[in-house]
Each structure stands twice: as C-alpha cells, then as structure tokens.
Amino acid sequence: MQNIEQTSRRDFMKLAAAAGGGLFLGFNWSASAAAPVVVNGQAIAAGMVNFNSYLSIGTDNIITIVSPNPEIGQGIKTAFPMVVAEELDADWKMVKTVQGNLDNSKFERQVTGGSGAVPHSWERLRKAGAMARFLLVEAAAARWKVPVSEITTDNGKVLHKTSGRSFTYGQLAVDASGLTAPKEITLKNEKDFRLIGQSVKNVDNQNIFTGKPLFGLDVYKEGMLFAQIQRPKAFGLKLKSVDATAAKAMPGIVDVVTFENSVAVVGKSTWQVKKAREAVKIEYEKAADLESSADHNRIFKELLDHGEATVRRKDGDADAAFKNAAKVIKAEYQCPFLPHSPLEPMNFFAHVREDGVELVGPTQTPDRARDEVSKITGFPKEKITVEITRQGGGFGRRLAADFVTEAAHVSKLVKAPVKVMWTREDDMTGGTYRPAVRYRFEAALDASGQLIGYKLRGVGMNSGNSTREDNFPSGAVDNLLIDSVEHKSPITTGPWRAPITNFLAYAEQAFLDEIAEAAGKDPVQFRLELLEKAKKLPAGAIKYDIDRMIAIIKMAAEKSNWGKKKGVYQGFSVYFSHRSYVAQVGEVIMEKGKPVLKNIVAAVDCGIVINKSGSLQQVRGGVVDGMGHAMYGNLTFKDGAPDQSNFNGFRLIRMNEIPEVEVHFVDNGISPTGLGEPALPPTGAAIANAFYKATKQRLRNQPFTQEDSFKGLS
C-alpha cells in the first residue's frame, strides 16, 4: 500500500476501497455520545456515506485515522491515533494517520488554538477504537463458533488462548464490516493502558528529517505564480499612489496589482518578485496616529489614572478594605508588543476559478480562512475547499486569515493560481502582535498580615479584556476589584501563545510574592493559605479547581526541595490556564557575583498524559518560550513603524542560555486537559521571583534584560 500520509481524504478512501474493502468506522466528532457506525468501504469511496470522520482497518492490517485538527508542532497528529490504537489494542507499527481537510459536515472544531483539541476529542477517539475492537472480536467469535468471553485482543491480533488460534485484524476486517455496531461500548480502564503514557515518536518525523513536502512553503501547483506584497511600512498609513512601471519591466514579472491597502508583485519566482517589489514606487498618507513606544508609556499612565474602566469582577467592598488596611502594597507591571516569529513565515496558496476556490496552506483556523475568502470572492462556502498543510509554528499568528485573503485577492485579480510568500521581515513587521499591556496592582493587609483587599487594573492595546478576572486569587479575597481599560491602537494585535495569561500570570504571581513578603510569609505557604481560605469560605465564584491547584503547588515544592537547598535562590509561581495547572520553581545561583538561572522545576497537572515524549516537549518548549520572551523579547515602535524587522534586531533566547528544565506530571486519572500553552504563563514569575531572592531587585517589566535593576546585575 502506498504511503497514505501524503494523500487527501478522498484519495485515501479510494485506496482503501481498492485494497479490498475492509472495516470502515464513521464516528461523529461533534458528539461524544454518538456511536460509530459500520459502513461499506465501496460506499465511502464513492462518497455516498455522510460521516464526520473515519477509522479504517484494511485487509493489509493498516489502521488509519483521519485527523481533522491542524498540526503546528503540538503533536496532535500523533496523539489522536495513539488514543484510537490504545482502545483498539492495535500494533502501533501498523497505525497511519491522514490530515483531514476542512469539512464542516464531517468534522467539528477544526481549530488549533486554546489547547483544546485533545480535551474535545478524547472520548470520541476512545469510542472509535473500542468499537472497532468489539466488532473484530464478534467476527472472530462467529468464525470460531466460541463465546466472545473466551476471546482477547493484543497488538493487532484477535486471540483464542484455549485453542491457540489467532487472526490478524486485517483477516477479520471484511467480516467485521458486515456486523451491526452497538450504540454503547465499554472503554478500557485507564490502569490497563499500554500505549497511552508511553513515549512515541512523532508520526511525521521521518518525512520532516528527509525533507519530504509537508509544509505550506512546500506547496507547488502546476501553473502557479508567486506573489509578495508590500504593506504600509507603518501602522496608521494608507495607500496614496503606486508607480509600478519599473517593476513590471523586470524579468519574470507577470503583473503588479493593488487591493485594499496593499500592493502585490506577481511573477514566476520568489526571487524575481522580491527584487521587483523593491522597485515599486509607493506613496502613503496618514490615516491614523503614528504611535511610538514613548506614546504607549504615556497612554498607559493616563489610562491607569483616568481611563474609563470596565468592571470585570467585584467582590465585597474593596475601597473600604483599603481604607481600613494596616498596610497597602502597590506595584505596576508592563510588557511590550511581541511578534509571533514562527519558523515558517506566513504563506498561502489560492486559486480563484470561475467555478470556485481552492485554498492550500498552513492555517490554525481553516473555517475562518474559508469564510473570509467567501466574502472576497462571493462564492458560497461549499464552493471553496481548504487543504490543510503541516505548519512550521503558529503560536496564535495563524489563527488570523489575512495571509489567506491576500492570496485570494491576488489570484482573483490576476486570474491565476498564486502562492503568497512573506519574508521574515514581512512576518515581523506585518502586525497581529501580542498586545502591549500594563497592570496596576494593589493589596491591603490587616494587622495580622491577612490579605483583606485586592485590586487589579489592566490597560491593553487592542487586547479586549486584558485581565482574567476569575483566576486565582479571585475567590480567595473577600474584597476584590478587577477592571480593565482599552486603548484602540492602529497597531494590529491578536492571540499570542496563552493569550493574555502569557504576561498576566507573571505579573500576578510576582505581585503575590510582593504581598507575601509584606505579610512576612513564605511564598508557597502564602498561596496555600489563600487556597484553603477559598475552599472553606469562598468569596464569590470559584472558576478553578482548588484541590488540583493545591496538589500541584505541593508537588512543585516537594520536587524542588523548596527552601532547603543551600546556595540556591528559589522563586515560585503557579497558574491555571487552558484547563490545566502548572507550578514552577526557578533556581538561581550566584556566579562571580552575578545571578545565573540554572534550573526550572515544573509540576504539571494536565490529566492523563497521552504521549510522554510529546508532552515533555510541550512543557519544556513552553518554559523556554516563556523564559526567552520574558528575558529578551522586545518590539518597539517609532512613528508607527517597528524598530525591529529581523532576528538581528529582535533578541531570541540562545541555546547556551537555556537552563535545565525538570518536568513532573501528576498521575490523577483525569481526562486530558490542555498542554500546548499552560507551561508558558508561570515561567516569567518563577524566574523573576528567584532573581529577587538572589538580588533583592524586583523585575516588574519585560523584557527583564531592559530593566535597570537587571542591567546592574549583568
């Protein structure tokens, strides 16, 4: 059988039918209670059966699952089939997975974002695997004329131990396809898992290592043209005039077209269009304020002091608590804009034909991509196809669809298939950044050091709600006020890995350490006391699991030997996001009079770990990402234009700066929760709190290396 990882869903169905039919299971992704249904392989190949997704067992013993969610490096294309294979008792070597294309009639939630793919599909996938196993056992029992209770399965085989007989799954696939599937099925007990929880290599590794075409940048279609787009060089400018005479005369250039606020150069190679783009003469005019970073600092101060705030949560009477407080602690924390900087710059293929549109490329939200292209072209959604490629990173940037609509615009204008290619400079200066934010915290303590009042105001640049009002310590403080103020900036922003919490967690957890110090309490014990109070006497709604948070705090303290290591300065942080709980301890030592981060201990409660290897990579990657951007990431502006346009100006973390990252997972048997993002938010505070222990210098602004208190130490 040919390598089906590279085929479309339709091609896969044709291949499976040609291979002799076999067992096909359609199962509904939109409702975990919906039972898989056995259908005929020839019917599926002919497109006559309407299901949301398919599990197949071919006569050649190949087990295939169509995975609908975009793969951006989070390992979903490996985790999904692992879940099916576990319930199926499959031979993992015979398991294949196919990337599903956009299909709203067959899939639900074809999105990579919010760390939600596995929580959404966990039970659905298990039922699909368990149902297939049930039917195979029934087929074997009928052939052998023995009770089902005498039959077991193992590693892709059905076994009758009494007689020593066995069948491979492929040998039974056709028989099983003629049986009726039950509406309900018994799932494995988690203690019997043999594949889930093990370390499994990513299913795309071989193709990645050998350079096989997987990514959007690899896409090539017959007759395809290439396009690069000149966008305004500053946020707040609009297109005034274009002179493309010189560019159109250059070799390989097919056309230069304008749309919305952009100029596209279209040609036969990326190098030709890149050079021609430099020859286009463009004039812009001002359409909005051209903001600089100095303006942002002024705006933050004005809005914190006088901005019209939206109350996000109010418990008790915070003003009265502060009026009667024995001690008040105040602090402000600020972060800059950040680009996403995925390894693969934005790109997308579009072919706007007379009868519909073909879209191919890396998108985290294929449904949004299709919707936006529908608006541009006027074609109904059913006339637009979206093929999803593997993606060289996204971090939230590919949740947007601007690069997709650019391709559609250009293809429509030049009446040809086009792939839009962004350069690294385009990618870094093209917007949709993490919003810049500033927080003002206030805490009120009574004479005994108890936290009796808490205030948080967030000011964000196009951030919507810059707070997470229901996260800890909400629910643990009787008198609490959380509000936010919004500044509408011409600088475009969007979700960035662990939206809002990527910085808010650092600010909240660093400020909690400030409160603990003012109260004369150990930072870990202070958090545990607040959680115990929330458990016994909750103040308002509790939107997090107190027991899970307490358990993860204790695990991190235990694994790090909290407070007991000589010559090691430890900083603590804990956060709940994307359904998961992560606590971290940063460990700093002094070398030649300077603080050096040597280790981060991470305790993680994400429920059942599916792929241990992939999960470790997600946690360690999140920690390194969180550390790198907290320490170094800084995108600044002058007159609406980014000062940094490539990695020579935008500082990333370097290999020799990465500390040891020690990861521990909680084994609590809870269904899997998010993991792509939750390890990032706590990292900044664990580091900042550890540096404070070592130096008594607070780090309240990111990046840390730009802080005056940090510069004096480096």
Side-chain angles (χ1 to χ4, degrees):
M1 190 173 183
Q2 80 173 70
N3 184 349
I4 57 178
E5 292 184 2
Q6 299 295 319
T7 65
S8 68
R9 181 176 61 85
R10 180 180 298 170
D11 290 338
F12 154 65
M13 295 306 180
K14 290 178 180 177
L15 285 168
L23 170 63
F24 288 84
L25 285 178
F27 58 97
N28 193 323
W29 292 81
S30 62
S32 60
V37 180
V38 179
V39 293
N40 180 273
Q42 295 289 347
I44 291 180
M48 296 168 57
V49 181
N50 184 19
F51 293 100
N52 290 347
S53 192
Y54 308 97
L55 162 68
S56 77
I57 302 175
T59 54
D60 57 359
N61 294 315
I62 295 291
I63 300 166
T64 305
I65 185 172
V66 178
S67 180
N69 289 66
E71 172 64 68
I72 61 170
Q74 83 280 33
I76 201 67
K77 199 175 172 185
T78 304
F80 271 17
M82 282 182 68
V83 178
V84 177
E86 179 64 73
E87 290 289 348
L88 186 57
D89 278 340
D91 178 356
W92 179 249
K93 295 189 298 295
M94 304 304 293
V95 174
K96 302 289 184 183
T97 184
V98 176
Q99 175 67 60
N101 296 328
L102 178 64
D103 192 334
N104 292 136
S105 67
K106 293 180 169 60
F107 303 122
E108 184 188 78
R109 201 193 179 279
Q110 281 189 270
V111 175
T112 291
S115 301
V118 169
H120 174 266
S121 301
W122 169 249
E123 190 173 342
R124 298 162 174 82
L125 293 164
R126 292 186 68 188
K127 285 185 175 182
M131 193 68 71
R133 179 185 174 277
F134 174 91
L135 295 169
L136 291 163
V137 169
E138 289 282 335
R143 277 210 202 178
W144 288 327
K145 295 181 173 54
V146 299
V148 168
S149 59
E150 294 182 7
I151 296 176
T152 59
T153 57
D154 181 48
N155 205 34
K157 292 183 178 180
V158 181
L159 309 170
H160 185 240
K161 292 184 179 179
T162 302
S163 64
R165 290 176 290 182
S166 67
F167 285 120
T168 66
Y169 285 176
Q171 289 172 318
L172 292 169
V174 174
D175 286 4
S177 68
L179 302 177
T180 301
K183 293 183 179 180
E184 297 296 331
I185 194 71
T186 301
L187 301 177
K188 272 188 180 182
N189 190 308
E190 285 82 357
K191 67 179 178 60
D192 296 324
F193 285 165
R194 290 185 291 178
L195 181 61
I196 288 176
Q198 301 303 309
S199 292
V200 174
K201 296 177 181 178
N202 189 289
V203 296
D204 280 337
N205 276 359
Q206 184 66 24
N207 286 334
I208 292 171
F209 296 159
T210 56
K212 295 294 190 331
L214 289 172
F215 300 91
L217 288 175
D218 298 323
V219 170
Y220 180 78
K221 301 278 186 176
E222 189 67 31
M224 182 181 82
L225 299 175
F226 296 86
Q228 288 194 352
I229 294 172
Q230 184 60 58
R231 304 159 194 88
K233 294 182 180 295
F235 294 92
L237 295 179
K238 67 178 181 179
L239 197 62
K240 182 179 180 181
S241 66
V242 179
D243 180 358
T245 306
K248 287 182 177 181
M250 295 177 72
I253 300 306
V254 174
D255 205 350
V256 177
V257 296
T258 62
F259 62 93
E260 296 183 339
N261 208 27
S262 302
V263 179
V265 180
V266 187
K268 297 180 179 179
S269 75
T270 54
W271 179 250
Q272 288 172 323
V273 298
K274 183 178 185 299
K275 298 304 292 182
R277 183 174 67 163
E278 296 169 0
V280 179
K281 298 177 181 178
I282 304 175
E283 285 188 87
Y284 295 98
E285 58 187 356
K286 186 176 177 182
D289 291 338
L290 304 180
E291 296 179 353
S292 299
S293 293
D295 298 321
H296 297 153
N297 293 330
R298 172 183 52 78
I299 291 167
F300 280 138
K301 186 178 188 310
E302 290 176 355
L303 293 180
L304 281 172
D305 290 337
H306 307 296
E308 184 177 346
T310 300
V311 174
R312 302 296 179 177
R313 177 162 175 161
K314 185 177 181 181
D315 296 326
D317 189 338
D319 289 337
F322 277 85
K323 183 177 180 181
N324 298 318
K327 184 181 292 186
V328 173
I329 305 98
K330 297 182 180 181
E332 293 185 11
Y333 289 76
Q334 184 169 318
C335 72
F337 290 96
L338 287 180
H340 296 77
S341 303
L343 185 62
E344 178 189 20
M346 300 303 106
N347 65 90
F348 223 82
F349 169 89
H351 188 187
V352 180
R353 307 182 307 267
E354 291 184 357
D355 60 342
V357 183
E358 178 188 10
L359 300 173
V360 185
T363 170
Q364 292 179 241
T365 52
D367 201 44
R368 177 184 292 177
R370 184 184 60 182
D371 289 350
E372 294 300 316
V373 170
S374 177
K375 295 174 186 176
I376 292 168
T377 62
F379 282 108
K381 296 178 183 179
E382 58 269 20
K383 294 291 185 181
I384 302 172
T385 62
V386 184
E387 182 180 337
I388 306 166
T389 64
R390 188 180 175 97
Q391 301 169 51
F395 312 113
R397 178 62 180 91
R398 287 186 162 99
L399 290 170
D402 54 322
F403 49 94
V404 183
T405 58
E406 287 179 343
H409 271 299
V410 177
S411 177
K412 181 181 178 182
L413 289 168
V414 301
K415 295 179 170 49
V418 171
K419 182 159 76 168
V420 166
M421 307 278 286
W422 290 42
T423 64
R424 174 58 59 197
E425 288 80 6
D426 293 336
D427 215 42
M428 193 168 289
T429 63
T432 316
Y433 305 114
R434 179 189 78 173
V437 178
R438 189 171 183 89
Y439 295 111
R440 174 176 290 168
F441 293 91
E442 299 177 64
L445 299 176
D446 65 14
S448 63
Q450 298 300 308
L451 180 60
I452 59 172
Y454 182 89
K455 291 182 181 180
L456 164 60
R457 171 166 293 182
V459 177
M461 304 281 184
N462 302 334
S463 62
N465 176 13
S466 58
T467 72
R468 289 294 180 266
E469 62 273 11
D470 292 323
N471 279 5
F472 178 75
S474 294
V477 187
D478 292 332
N479 305 292
L480 175 143
L481 176 64
I482 297 177
D483 58 28
S484 66
V485 184
E486 180 77 347
H487 170 65
K488 296 296 183 183
S489 170
I491 300 171
T492 57
T493 63
W496 190 96
R497 191 176 187 179
I500 303 299
T501 61
N502 56 62
F503 177 71
L504 176 60
Y506 147 71
E508 286 179 337
Q509 289 293 307
F511 185 63
L512 279 177
D513 261 37
E514 295 199 45
I515 303 173
E517 183 180 51
K521 297 181 179 180
D522 173 79
V524 170
Q525 191 58 38
F526 177 65
R527 288 168 173 81
L528 290 174
E529 288 176 4
L530 286 175
L531 287 165
E532 290 294 346
K533 178 186 180 301
K535 188 174 182 178
K536 295 175 183 177
L537 296 169
I542 303 289
K543 300 289 183 72
Y544 48 91
D545 189 313
I546 295 173
D547 289 332
R548 289 178 73 182
M549 186 171 278
I550 288 174
I552 206 67
I553 288 173
K554 290 182 176 179
M555 176 184 241
E558 176 192 349
K559 297 298 184 181
S560 66
N561 205 13
W562 174 259
K564 299 176 182 177
K565 293 182 177 179
K566 293 184 178 180
V568 177
Y569 301 91
Q570 295 177 311
F572 192 84
S573 178
V574 63
Y575 215 69
F576 162 63
S577 68
H578 300 89
R579 310 174 188 85
S580 294
Y581 300 79
V582 179
Q584 294 181 19
V585 176
E587 297 187 335
V588 168
I589 63 171
M590 299 298 291
E591 291 184 351
K592 299 179 180 179
K594 297 179 180 180
V596 178
L597 181 68
K598 298 297 287 186
N599 189 39
I600 293 179
V601 179
V604 182
D605 177 0
C606 60
I608 294 169
V609 172
I610 296 176
N611 183 358
K612 186 176 180 181
S613 172
S615 297
L616 284 169
Q617 291 167 19
Q618 285 298 297
V619 175
R620 287 173 176 152
V623 169
V624 172
D625 200 7
M627 175 187 173
H629 286 92
M631 295 284 288
Y632 310 109
N634 191 29
L635 189 72
T636 59
F637 290 83
K638 184 173 182 180
D639 296 329
D643 293 316
Q644 298 79 21
S645 62
N646 208 319
F647 293 135
N648 62 323
F650 183 81
R651 176 78 153 82
L652 293 175
I653 191 170
R654 296 165 182 154
M655 291 292 290
N656 64 350
E657 292 165 337
I658 297 173
E660 293 293 324
V661 181
E662 180 183 325
V663 182
H664 303 274
F665 291 100
V666 171
D667 183 11
N668 54 18
I670 295 172
S671 294
T673 51
L675 193 55
E677 293 163 286
L680 187 150
T683 303
I687 295 170
N689 291 337
F691 271 100
Y692 176 76
K693 286 282 190 68
T695 67
K696 295 303 177 184
Q697 298 289 319
R698 292 285 180 194
L699 298 173
R700 294 197 179 99
N701 300 305
Q702 292 184 2
F704 298 158
T705 51
Q706 297 297 310
E707 279 272 71
D708 290 338
S709 56
F710 189 91
K711 290 177 181 177
L713 302 170
S714 58

